Amino acid sequence: MDSELTIIGGGLAGSEAAWQAAERGVRVALFEMRPVRDTPAHVSDRLAELVCSNSMGARSIDRALGLLKEEMRRLDSLIIACAEAAAVPAGGALAVDREFFAQEVTHRIQGHPNIKLCRQEVTRLPLGPTIIATGPLTSDALAEEIVALTGNHQLYFFDAMAPIVEAESIDMEVAFRASRYDRGEQDEGDYINCPLTEAEYTAFMEALLGAEIIPLRDFERGDQRFFEACLPVEVLAARGHESLAFGPLRPVGLTDPRNGRRPYAVVQLRQDNLAATLYNMVGFQTSLRWGEQKRVFRMIPGLENAEFVRYGQMHRNTFINTPRLLDATLRLNTPDADSRPPIWFAGQITGTEGYVGSAMGGLVAGLNAALYLQGQPALAFPPTTMMGALLHYVSNADPQVFQPMKANFGLMPVLEKRVRRKKERYQAYARRALADLQPVVLKHRCNTLD
Ligand SMILES: Cc1cc2nc3c(=O)[nH]c(=O)nc-3n(C[C@H](O)[C@H](O)[C@H](O)COP(=O)(O)OP(=O)(O)OC[C@H]3O[C@@H](n4cnc5c(N)ncnc54)[C@H](O)[C@@H]3O)c2cc1C
């Protein structure tokens, strides 16, 4: 079979992309390097192996991952169908028997008449239309090719993520808006500042230093220079009692409007999305366990009821600078991209974090590659859908500080009418998302039937 589309990587994203393109009649060559070459985390030769947890998150559509899965289900996702087939009891979550799940994906891919599965490491970029879905553990040789394609400094090997909180959950009776020395572009200040007294700072430091951390695994210890340049907050804190007060929590240039004085220390939060619904904790990249982050960071005045949409993390993760390199259909759109056959990226390598977010990228890239090969216009997803909101985020975030992102309601454009209660607000987001997805679903079905 002569292939029209090459897909590199048979993980969650690559398998979904292959399925979507093949279902539209495109002949696909899917390259997976295992078992010829292993990754440090996978343990089998199966496609779509889940490397850690066996959960794909909540089922209910008023939860971000529940809504994302429902949108994908409506677009005939292979990964969601196989997850349902392999589901095990898990309360409100969709958890799977991981072996049965990966076996099912492998079986369906191998049985598809339009897909040829090649067990081979790809070390050079193919010459025809290609989807790169090699994940957070992309092999070194291909990583070098990606650097050559995208330019230096556009490929990263570690996450150093600070937690992100929902703006609505910050207590603005305590926190205040200001930029240091009032250098903000907006009158009211660009940052949200959480002021600490000396006693609050001391209590916070004690809790931080006593908190449990997630140890790095052997394959994650790698590049120590990275950690020197971007230290986890608890490592910096261990250097001395005042290390944070003179570092990321320094209060210089800030006055607490409640008392007109400079606080002893200040935790700053920086706007993280255009809609200003999400804020990241500046300098708080961390390896603390997630439960510990919630406990310790909620000690910060103003964050007592903070809702964390993403916890801080430090781990091995290969990802590209998507806002600089891709459009919202995940196609490479660098200035010289038109001089060669099209390339799409999909999965964790684009920064759409997590199993379901990765598979979603595969669905979008596979669908758009098929549309391209059939001479049809690309399909962008409405930003009011969870798929569209996540794609919009990764393709439009600030490229200077880009980090992977999980599906969450904070990414969505705010509702026209304010809904105070969180559950009802999320239900309203979900209703709007599924209504706005409907035209895409209809178009998708027409294309599949064609
Ligand atoms: C250690 C670890 C634990 C994680 N735990 C979780 C978790 O619990 N929950 C969660 O939601 N997310 C987790 N993630 C994040 C992410 O969701 C998963 O990594 C997910 O599998 C990403 O899907 P993907 O398709 O992008 O990549 P993968 O599923 O990793 O698939 C990429 C595939 O490409 C292959 N490949 C790589 N290079 C080449 C090459 N040159 N040629 C051919 N094939 C190649 C690999 O063998 C692999 O099969 C974890 C990530 C890591 C690294």
Side-chain angles (χ1 to χ4, degrees):
M1 177 183 82
D2 281 345
S3 61
E4 302 162 283
L5 176 66
T6 303
I7 299 179
I8 316 174
L12 291 154
S15 301
E16 182 71 57
W19 183 262
Q20 292 291 334
E23 282 287 275
R24 275 161 195 75
V26 172
R27 295 187 307 278
V28 176
L30 174 62
F31 285 83
E32 169 51 56
M33 69 178 183
R34 290 175 292 119
V36 181
R37 196 184 176 96
D38 290 332
T39 80
H42 293 82
V43 294
S44 80
D45 64 357
R46 296 198 179 118
L47 303 178
E49 181 183 324
L50 303 180
V51 283
C52 191
S53 158
N54 69 330
S55 173
M56 299 211 178
R59 279 180 179 279
S60 170
I61 60 166
D62 58 19
R63 307 289 295 275
L65 278 181
L67 177 58
L68 185 59
K69 286 196 287 287
E70 177 58 23
E71 292 177 6
M72 291 169 64
R73 192 187 63 74
R74 292 182 183 205
L75 293 163
D76 304 318
S77 160
L78 169 75
I79 294 298
I80 302 303
C82 292
E84 289 294 355
V88 296
L94 174 57
V96 301
D97 173 324
R98 66 177 74 240
E99 287 189 11
F100 182 78
F101 166 73
Q103 194 177 312
E104 189 64 16
V105 174
T106 310
H107 178 71
R108 293 197 198 186
I109 290 281
Q110 277 177 331
H112 201 293
N114 287 338
I115 303 177
K116 186 169 126 198
L117 178 59
C118 315
R119 299 285 188 170
Q120 187 185 322
E121 179 191 4
V122 176
T123 54
R124 304 295 304 269
L125 282 177
L127 296 176
T130 301
I131 297 175
I132 301 174
T134 42
L137 305 170
T138 295
S139 74
D140 293 345
L142 190 68
E144 275 178 32
E145 279 283 288
I146 295 172
V147 169
L149 173 76
T150 58
N152 273 336
H153 312 303
Q154 307 303 339
L155 183 74
Y156 310 105
F157 293 94
F158 274 88
D159 280 340
M161 299 202 229
I164 294 182
V165 300
E166 278 186 14
E168 287 203 335
S169 68
I170 302 171
D171 183 355
M172 293 305 291
E173 299 284 309
V174 175
F176 61 94
R177 285 189 166 276
S179 300
R180 285 186 207 285
Y181 307 108
D182 289 332
R183 282 183 193 141
E185 281 159 20
Q186 302 155 11
D187 286 338
E188 56 170 359
D190 288 344
Y191 288 80
I192 293 178
N193 301 278
C194 299
L196 291 92
T197 62
E198 186 171 0
E200 287 164 344
Y201 176 81
T202 301
F204 171 71
M205 286 294 276
E206 275 170 16
L208 180 61
L209 291 172
E212 252 191 282
I213 60 167
I214 303 171
L216 290 181
R217 279 169 279 195
D218 283 348
F219 72 88
E220 294 176 315
R221 283 184 225 281
D223 187 351
Q224 292 301 318
R225 281 172 304 139
F226 173 89
F227 292 111
E228 228 2 82
C230 195
L231 286 173
V233 66
E234 63 278 8
V235 174
L236 189 58
R239 290 187 171 175
H241 185 70
E242 297 303 315
S243 55
L244 295 187
F246 282 90
L249 273 63
R250 66 192 181 285
V252 291
L254 293 166
T255 305
D256 187 340
R258 286 176 311 170
N259 56 23
R261 287 207 296 270
R262 183 160 107 174
Y264 185 78
V266 173
V267 172
Q268 289 203 298
L269 293 103
R270 189 192 294 122
Q271 188 174 325
D272 201 78
N273 62 342
L274 286 174
T277 51
L278 301 176
Y279 277 74
N280 71 66
M281 297 177 66
V282 178
F284 270 69
Q285 54 276 5
T286 179
S287 301
L288 257 58
R289 290 195 183 283
W290 290 6
E292 292 286 80
Q293 290 186 41
K294 192 169 178 180
R295 178 178 69 80
V296 177
F297 298 160
R298 280 186 168 184
M299 290 173 69
I300 297 167
L303 300 188
E304 292 86 349
N305 297 307
E307 290 287 344
F308 293 87
V309 302
R310 181 185 84 189
Y311 285 102
Q313 287 175 46
M314 313 277 299
H315 66 75
R316 166 80 194 270
N317 187 8
T318 310
F319 64 100
I320 56 169
N321 194 332
T322 297
R324 206 162 258 155
L325 301 173
L326 308 185
D327 65 20
T329 68
L330 299 178
R331 184 170 166 184
L332 187 74
N333 69 348
T334 48
D336 59 349
D338 284 343
S339 62
R340 53 163 301 144
I343 293 183
W344 294 263
F345 282 81
Q348 180 90 11
I349 197 168
T350 68
T352 52
E353 174 88 4
Y355 296 150
V356 185
S358 296
M360 180 279 288
L363 190 155
V364 171
L367 216 156
N368 273 302
L371 290 171
Y372 168 87
L373 288 164
Q374 291 161 353
Q376 295 187 47
L379 187 58
F381 287 78
T384 46
T385 61
M386 191 54 83
M387 293 175 71
L390 190 50
L391 291 167
H392 180 80
Y393 180 86
V394 294
S395 54
N396 287 281
D398 181 350
Q400 304 283 353
V401 291
F402 178 63
Q403 288 287 332
M405 177 58 87
K406 267 170 52 171
N408 69 80
F409 284 106
L411 298 174
M412 302 187 115
V414 285
L415 295 164
E416 276 180 21
K417 211 167 130 218
R418 188 174 150 81
V419 181
R420 274 198 76 78
R421 291 194 46 208
K422 193 166 86 177
K423 189 166 174 68
E424 285 161 19
R425 189 165 66 245
Y426 290 174
Q427 284 168 343
Y429 277 130
R431 274 196 303 276
R432 182 181 67 176
L434 295 178
D436 290 357
L437 186 72
Q438 192 55 18
V440 180
V441 174
L442 292 175
K443 191 165 187 294
H444 162 87
R445 296 227 184 275
C446 290
N447 285 335
T448 314
L449 292 176
D450 279 351

